[in-house]
Amino acid sequence: MTALDSSPHTRFLAHGGHMGAAIAAFDWGSTPLGALAQWPAYLRTATSIMLASDRAMVMMWGPTGILIFNDAYADFAGQLRRRELGVPVREAWPEVADFNDNVLDVVLAGGTLGYRDQRMMLQRDVGLEDSWLCLDYSAVRDEEGVPRGVLVILEETTARVHVEQRLSIAQAAGGVGTFEWFPDSGRLEVSEQYLKLWGLAPGTEVTDALLMSLLHPDDVGVAGLKRLDEQGNPLAYGEFRRVDPDTGETRWLARRGEVVSSPESGRRRYVGVIADITERRQTEQALRDSEQRWRNLFEQMREGFFIGQAVRGGDGAIADFRMNMLNPAFQQQTGIDTAWADGRMMSEITPSIRDELVVIYSAVLDGSRRGQFEIQVPELENRWFEVRAQRIDEDSFAALFIDISGRKTAEQLIIESELRFRSFAQSMPNHVWTATPAGELDWFNERIHDYAGVASAALEGAGWLRLLHADDRARHAQAWQQAIEGGDGFEIEYRLLRHDGAYRWHIGRAVPMCNEAGEIERWIGSNTDIEEQKVAEAALSQLATTLEQRVEERTGELLAMQETLRHSQKMEALGKLTGGVAHDFNNLLQVISGNLQLLARELGGDARAGRRIANALAGVARGARLASQLLAFGRRQPLEPKVLNLSRLVMGIDDMLRRALGEAIEIETVTAGGLWNTFADPAQVENALLNLAINGRDAMTQGGRLTIELRNAWLDDVYAGAHAELRPGQYVMLAVSDTGSGIPPEVLEHVFEPFFTTKPEGQGTGLGLSMVYGFAKQSGGHVAIYSEPGQGTTVKLYLPRNEQAEDVANDSPVQPAEGGNETVLVAEDDDEVSATVVELLSELGYRVLKARDAEAALSIIESGIAIDLLFTDVVMPGKLKSPEMARKARERIPGLAVLFTSGYTDNAIVHGGRLEPGVELLSKPYTREALAHKVRSVLTQQRRRDGDG
């Protein structure tokens, strides 16, 4: 009996070994567990069971995990940890404190935990080290079933893990996978390398059925599953192919295994290894293929082949050679039966040249000569053979040979041909030479030697280049090199030095001479004197140069004229288009304007309505200006030209310009002395100047200077020829220059096109410069624009000079509109315009008749009704045109007054922008006042003419 047995408080520790004694001696009163005498029965029982176990066990008691452990655990923990008895687990094992906190939380809450091969970094006797453990955690409960502590059973597996790691590395390095097969269940336990060899993902559950599905169909019989019923080992060494189901890739595997039976159960299991042998199989197959290729080559090659084996005499000297390993071509080349010749002496096969061959092949064996030679064999109809012999060892060689009798015959023919060629070349009056395939000159006829005055040897190779003129050498070298590389003919002109020091022009030509394979064997060339031809060419070239220059100049002129014509045609087409648009637009504006004026008179007492009608009429006026600008661009507007002096016109609108441009723009007017008169419409000149000035103002956003220049100008034939419709002569120039932002070149060429503008949206119609362009052309003048980005823009307007005296301006006051009681015939095809005009004239007191076209109007006139005024639209449908109808009407009624109206005259009564003499026109849209004034004026003028008559 021990001391522990004698005390009832320590009896449960009696068989606890060293740790039992240590627990008994420990002062537990200083811990939350209290003295041993106070320990509850369930704690004593659990401690007793733990101490009796030979497995490493430890209890972590209470919320802080006070440690109680047995001898096996103490051995695991080491001497350093033996002192941790009764210490909270966090203090005892601080390096895994978080891990143990989690264990206490889970198990004291009633759970269990288990870990296999759990890696931990633990502080042991040797220091901090990697450790792998199997750990099982369960609760120790009191009498009420409440968890009070945690029982830990642990097993260190560090050594096993290290072994498995080393084995895995070894398997991976050697490409070997291991497996254990249980045929009864079909299951396999395999290594990671095994999975890689089979192309399976880590963690795949491997069965023999899975592996069978990956086998090549031709190799299924090698599988162990198919050989279980056979005698012997079903996993004996075998090689088979596995096929990747995704990619179709095939890999060769080799397997070897052994049976391991369980004596108790009688069940079989197998262990084995597997390796990838794809590279070995590929190497073996490549070797077989190579051998087969060489065998095929040996049997199919055109050259004859044999192995010569030296036969030595008693003195050791080579006396003969035995011929072995003859290929089928041997018989084809020689006509000798291969079966008969194989193994025979060379002296038996070719006795007449035995001695010669012994000397040659002996020299090949001792290395004193090359193994390639040509030989004629009398026994074989004196045929020639080319032989290539290669030493194998001191007593044997391999030889390839081929019949070259045809080539030797061809070579002899070539020699004979060469002699004939040289005889022919020597008789030629030209220089004749030959060159190697690489281009090196190697032969010259006597004509070259005579010309150069040097011996033959001095010209061979690169020596003949001394005859070439220095300026021609680089060009000659390039052409000659290109001919050699391309295999094409060579032709070049160069100068050659004559023996008297003079250079003469020659044309050098050469052609390649090729064999049947297309390979160049030789170049044949000649030099022909062309000195007289070059002199003639120089004279002709001089003549051609001057002719070429004249043609080039004329071509440039034609191209410029073509471009000018194209631009003119483009602008003419746009003009016709805009004229047509203006016609319909003016008719529409006339209807709107007329009805608004009639409405204004009806609502005369309504001020509010009057304001709105006034606004609408202002819009009509703006539309009329837009149509007028379109007509101006299209050169279809009726002009009222006068002889005027531009300096007085510019001075007259100076105030208006300054108000329009604002104080930020400085205006400078420069007028040359003796300024000529011009013949133009003053209103249109003012309009053009105002448009150009406003464009300049808009280009000078930060202010600037606008310069108006007036001077006489002469446009000569050259300038006029470059611009369509412009005649050379005297002009008055009006130029407007600004210091604004300028216009880029790509934009400048479009500025005269209608609706083209560089201004922001809403700040311009794009018709200002178009109107200026049309007005200039219609007036027989010209407009040009010059601009540089960042420097500014200048527009020059040229108007023809007029030598007549300036017209005196008539500034008589405008009389108020008045009507009359005469009869007016209105001819208008637009019903809405017609209705408006009839009502306006009726309101003015006139008696009004109306017709829808010229034919209807003429019918009314011919009816005999008294008519005082014919008011007719210029452009109406029908065969009878308005001007012709007016002429016939005056024939019927000699005192008839005629007033034309139109939104677009289409040159019917306006020519060159001017009305025909005696023609009166009221342009649409017009106001009631304008209509009243014009009708009254035309009737008055007609009465005066009648009175004068």
Side-chain angles (χ1 to χ4, degrees):
M1 177 178 293
T2 65
L4 297 176
D5 291 327
S6 62
S7 171
H9 302 305
T10 59
R11 192 173 294 132
F12 70 95
L13 303 173
H15 304 289
H18 295 295
M19 289 312 301
I23 293 170
F26 190 77
D27 180 15
W28 294 99
S30 61
T31 70
L33 275 68
L36 287 174
Q38 299 174 2
W39 282 19
Y42 57 83
L43 176 56
R44 292 172 178 238
T45 302
T47 303
S48 177
I49 293 171
M50 178 188 67
L51 291 172
S53 176
D54 58 356
R55 296 187 65 185
M57 301 175 71
V58 59
M59 278 195 298
M60 297 186 292
W61 201 259
T64 59
I66 303 299
L67 295 180
I68 308 171
F69 46 84
N70 63 5
D71 286 345
Y73 180 86
D75 293 338
F76 157 75
Q79 293 296 325
L80 181 65
R81 300 290 186 180
R82 289 179 181 272
R83 298 190 299 273
E84 309 300 340
L85 185 66
V87 175
V89 66
R90 174 174 277 276
E91 297 179 20
W93 296 94
E95 62 270 32
V96 287
D98 293 340
F99 181 85
N100 286 322
D101 286 346
N102 180 63
V103 169
L104 289 171
D105 291 342
V106 173
V107 179
L108 291 180
T112 60
L113 292 171
Y115 298 94
R116 293 295 175 266
D117 294 331
Q118 174 67 37
R119 179 178 176 273
M120 293 184 172
M121 292 293 293
L122 300 178
Q123 186 72 37
R124 313 279 282 278
D125 289 344
V126 295
L128 195 65
E129 62 179 356
D130 266 327
S131 301
W132 282 264
L133 306 174
C134 288
L135 300 160
D136 291 291
Y137 298 91
S138 58
V140 179
R141 301 175 184 270
D142 60 13
E143 293 87 345
E144 302 298 328
V146 177
R148 297 298 183 181
V150 178
L151 177 62
V152 185
I153 303 174
L154 65 87
E155 178 185 0
E156 183 169 13
T157 59
T158 301
R160 176 174 61 78
V161 170
H162 283 171
V163 170
E164 290 177 352
Q165 288 176 341
R166 288 192 291 271
L167 178 60
S168 177
I169 293 171
Q171 289 176 350
V176 177
T178 59
F179 66 91
E180 189 171 355
W181 177 37
F182 303 90
D184 295 334
S185 64
R187 181 175 58 85
L188 287 89
E189 292 184 1
V190 301
S191 66
E192 291 182 8
Q193 186 62 24
Y194 187 94
L195 292 173
K196 292 180 180 179
L197 292 173
W198 279 91
L200 299 173
T204 301
E205 184 177 345
V206 183
T207 64
D208 48 24
L210 172 62
L211 300 182
M212 288 289 289
S213 70
L214 298 176
L215 283 178
H216 192 284
D218 296 342
D219 299 338
V220 171
V222 183
L225 187 62
K226 294 292 186 179
R227 300 171 63 184
L228 278 173
D229 298 332
E230 298 178 4
Q231 296 294 327
N233 180 9
L235 294 187
Y237 181 81
E239 298 180 359
F240 49 83
R241 288 162 290 180
R242 64 96 173 158
V243 181
D244 190 309
D246 296 327
T247 65
E249 180 191 19
T250 299
R251 303 288 298 181
W252 278 95
L253 302 177
R255 175 217 62 215
R256 184 187 297 277
E258 298 292 340
V259 62
V260 179
S261 299
S262 173
E264 293 81 3
S265 65
R267 294 180 178 177
R268 293 174 299 169
R269 64 186 178 91
Y270 296 85
V271 295
V273 296
I274 193 168
D276 190 313
I277 59 168
T278 303
E279 291 185 4
R280 193 202 78 196
R281 293 288 297 220
Q282 291 174 342
T283 301
E284 292 172 351
Q285 184 62 42
L287 181 60
R288 287 192 294 272
D289 293 344
S290 177
E291 291 175 350
Q292 185 60 42
R293 284 195 300 273
W294 284 112
R295 171 57 59 185
N296 292 340
L297 177 63
F298 180 75
E299 293 179 353
Q300 297 175 11
M301 65 184 181
R302 189 166 59 92
E303 295 87 349
F305 176 83
F306 67 90
I307 298 292
Q309 187 69 39
V311 178
R312 298 182 182 272
D315 58 357
I318 296 176
D320 207 341
F321 287 94
R322 190 180 303 280
M323 302 177 70
N324 300 314
M325 292 186 64
L326 282 63
N327 72 340
F330 184 95
Q331 183 170 341
Q332 297 170 7
Q333 292 289 334
T334 64
I336 300 173
D337 182 60
T338 303
W340 174 84
D342 199 355
R344 291 186 180 272
M345 295 293 182
M346 194 175 295
S347 58
E348 296 180 67
I349 298 173
T350 54
S352 64
I353 56 172
R354 181 189 70 88
D355 294 342
E356 183 179 358
L357 290 177
V358 167
V359 171
I360 292 173
Y361 287 133
S362 297
V364 170
L365 290 180
D366 65 23
S368 60
R369 72 164 289 169
R370 292 174 64 247
Q372 183 172 347
F373 60 93
E374 296 177 356
I375 193 166
Q376 191 174 21
V377 184
E379 289 82 359
L380 301 179
E381 301 175 351
N382 277 323
R383 283 187 284 163
W384 281 89
F385 293 88
E386 181 180 78
V387 184
R388 297 183 185 88
Q390 179 66 44
R391 181 179 183 273
I392 298 175
D393 54 37
E394 61 182 8
D395 282 332
S396 60
F397 64 88
L400 286 171
F401 65 91
I402 190 170
D403 189 335
I404 59 169
S405 301
R407 193 190 78 194
K408 297 293 284 186
T409 300
E411 288 175 354
Q412 182 60 36
L413 292 175
I414 289 173
I415 292 173
E416 295 173 0
S417 175
E418 182 77 12
L419 290 174
R420 287 195 298 273
F421 163 75
R422 295 200 177 192
S423 298
F424 173 74
Q426 292 293 7
S427 65
M428 291 280 291
N430 293 347
H431 303 172
V432 180
W433 46 269
T434 64
T436 65
E440 185 176 345
L441 275 67
D442 59 358
W443 183 82
F444 305 87
N445 71 349
E446 294 298 331
R447 303 292 81 70
I448 296 181
H449 301 309
D450 295 343
Y451 178 86
V454 296
S456 176
L459 297 178
E460 292 180 0
W464 92 280
L465 293 177
R466 59 185 289 271
L467 301 182
L468 268 177
H469 193 286
D471 295 343
D472 299 336
R473 290 176 185 175
R475 185 168 50 86
H476 169 272
Q478 181 181 2
W480 185 226
Q481 186 61 35
Q482 289 177 350
I484 294 171
E485 293 175 354
D488 301 324
F490 166 76
E491 182 172 322
I492 189 174
E493 295 179 358
Y494 43 62
R495 288 161 288 184
L496 294 179
L497 179 65
R498 197 167 58 183
H499 59 80
D500 59 359
Y503 281 97
R504 293 183 65 83
W505 279 99
H506 288 74
I507 182 169
R509 298 187 181 93
V511 293
M513 306 301 293
C514 302
N515 57 24
E516 294 180 356
E519 299 169 341
I520 297 175
E521 293 185 337
R522 180 164 295 279
W523 290 86
I524 298 178
S526 66
N527 301 328
T528 303
D529 192 310
I530 57 170
E531 179 68 22
E532 286 75 13
Q533 177 183 332
K534 295 294 286 186
V535 172
E537 284 180 358
L540 185 61
S541 175
Q542 180 63 30
L543 177 62
T545 299
T546 58
L547 179 61
E548 223 175 88
Q549 184 177 353
R550 291 198 298 273
V551 170
E552 184 176 351
E553 291 173 355
R554 182 56 180 161
T555 301
E557 294 173 1
L558 290 174
L559 288 175
M561 291 174 63
Q562 185 178 19
E563 177 61 23
T564 302
L565 177 60
R566 184 196 65 79
H567 182 73
S568 175
Q569 290 172 338
K570 173 182 174 182
M571 301 304 274
E572 179 67 22
L574 285 172
K576 289 182 178 179
L577 174 64
T578 54
V581 171
H583 174 265
D584 294 340
F585 191 38
N586 280 330
N587 275 344
L588 180 62
L589 290 175
Q590 182 59 54
V591 173
I592 297 171
S593 173
N595 282 283
L596 286 172
Q597 291 175 79
L598 291 171
L599 183 61
R601 295 181 67 82
E602 292 177 7
L603 301 175
D606 190 336
R608 183 178 181 185
R611 286 195 300 273
R612 291 182 176 177
I613 292 173
N615 290 337
L617 287 171
V620 170
R622 288 195 296 274
R625 285 196 297 274
L626 177 62
S628 175
Q629 289 175 326
L630 285 171
L631 288 171
F633 167 73
R635 290 178 269 175
R636 302 298 192 275
Q637 65 177 340
L639 300 178
E640 297 182 17
K642 293 180 174 58
V643 180
L644 55 90
N645 189 284
L646 292 184
S647 63
R648 271 182 283 279
L649 182 144
V650 172
M651 290 174 59
I653 65 170
D654 183 73
D655 289 342
M656 181 180 68
L657 284 176
R658 296 185 185 277
R659 288 194 302 272
L661 302 186
E663 296 180 355
I665 306 300
E666 176 187 350
I667 301 177
E668 180 182 3
T669 302
V670 179
T671 303
L675 189 68
W676 297 327
N677 291 337
T678 185
F679 188 64
D681 188 325
Q684 295 301 326
V685 175
E686 291 178 359
N687 195 14
L689 177 55
L690 184 60
N691 269 303
L692 295 177
I694 290 174
N695 281 347
R697 178 202 64 187
D698 293 343
M700 297 182 288
T701 56
Q702 304 299 321
R705 184 175 67 256
L706 186 82
T707 302
I708 302 172
E709 181 185 2
L710 295 166
R711 64 178 175 83
N712 300 327
W714 171 262
L715 300 183
D716 58 19
D717 293 339
V718 176
Y719 186 86
H723 299 84
E725 303 179 21
L726 180 61
R727 295 181 180 180
Q730 296 174 326
Y731 290 84
V732 179
M733 184 200 74
L734 167 63
V736 178
S737 302
D738 64 63
T739 58
S741 56
I743 305 173
E746 65 273 12
V747 175
L748 197 63
E749 59 181 288
H750 299 289
V751 295
F752 291 124
E753 296 175 6
F755 304 113
F756 182 87
T757 180
T758 59
K759 298 177 183 178
E761 187 175 352
Q763 295 187 21
T765 63
L767 289 171
L769 285 177
S770 302
M771 183 277 294
V772 174
Y773 175 87
F775 166 65
K777 294 297 182 181
Q778 194 172 6
S779 300
H782 175 62
V783 63
I785 186 168
Y786 310 91
S787 185
E788 290 186 20
Q791 300 298 316
T793 302
T794 296
V795 181
K796 294 182 178 181
L797 176 63
Y798 295 90
L799 295 173
R801 177 186 181 183
N802 190 285
E803 296 183 357
Q804 297 180 14
E806 183 179 4
D807 290 337
V808 178
N810 183 10
D811 296 329
S812 58
V814 178
Q815 299 297 323
E818 59 180 20
N821 55 8
E822 290 89 348
T823 300
V824 179
L825 172 59
V826 176
E828 173 62 60
D829 63 296
D830 189 307
D831 292 341
E832 294 177 343
V833 174
S834 177
T836 304
V837 173
V838 168
E839 189 168 352
L840 286 171
L841 288 171
S842 298
E843 188 185 63
L844 289 169
Y846 296 104
R847 295 186 300 277
V848 183
L849 304 174
K850 62 179 181 177
R852 295 194 75 254
D853 54 31
E855 292 178 351
L858 188 59
S859 296
I860 294 173
I861 292 170
E862 290 177 342
S863 69
I865 298 175
I867 300 172
D868 299 296
L869 173 68
L870 171 63
F871 185 38
T872 178
D873 192 3
V874 176
V875 181
M876 289 191 294
K879 295 181 179 179
L880 183 61
K881 303 303 179 185
S882 293
E884 180 64 16
M885 181 268 290
R887 186 185 64 78
K888 291 182 177 181
R890 277 183 166 164
E891 289 177 355
R892 272 65 164 179
I893 307 175
L896 179 67
V898 178
L899 174 60
F900 289 97
T901 183
S902 181
Y904 167 46
T905 62
D906 194 26
N907 293 332
I909 59 173
V910 175
H911 299 284
R914 300 171 181 85
L915 289 171
E916 294 178 356
V919 174
E920 298 289 345
L921 174 69
L922 178 62
S923 296
K924 297 177 183 177
Y926 44 79
T927 63
R928 176 181 178 277
E929 288 72 15
L931 175 64
H933 279 297
K934 195 67 175 179
V935 169
R936 190 73 262 154
S937 173
V938 171
L939 287 170
T940 301
Q941 291 178 21
Q942 184 61 43
R943 285 199 186 95
R944 288 174 184 168
R945 283 194 294 271
D946 293 343
D948 293 339

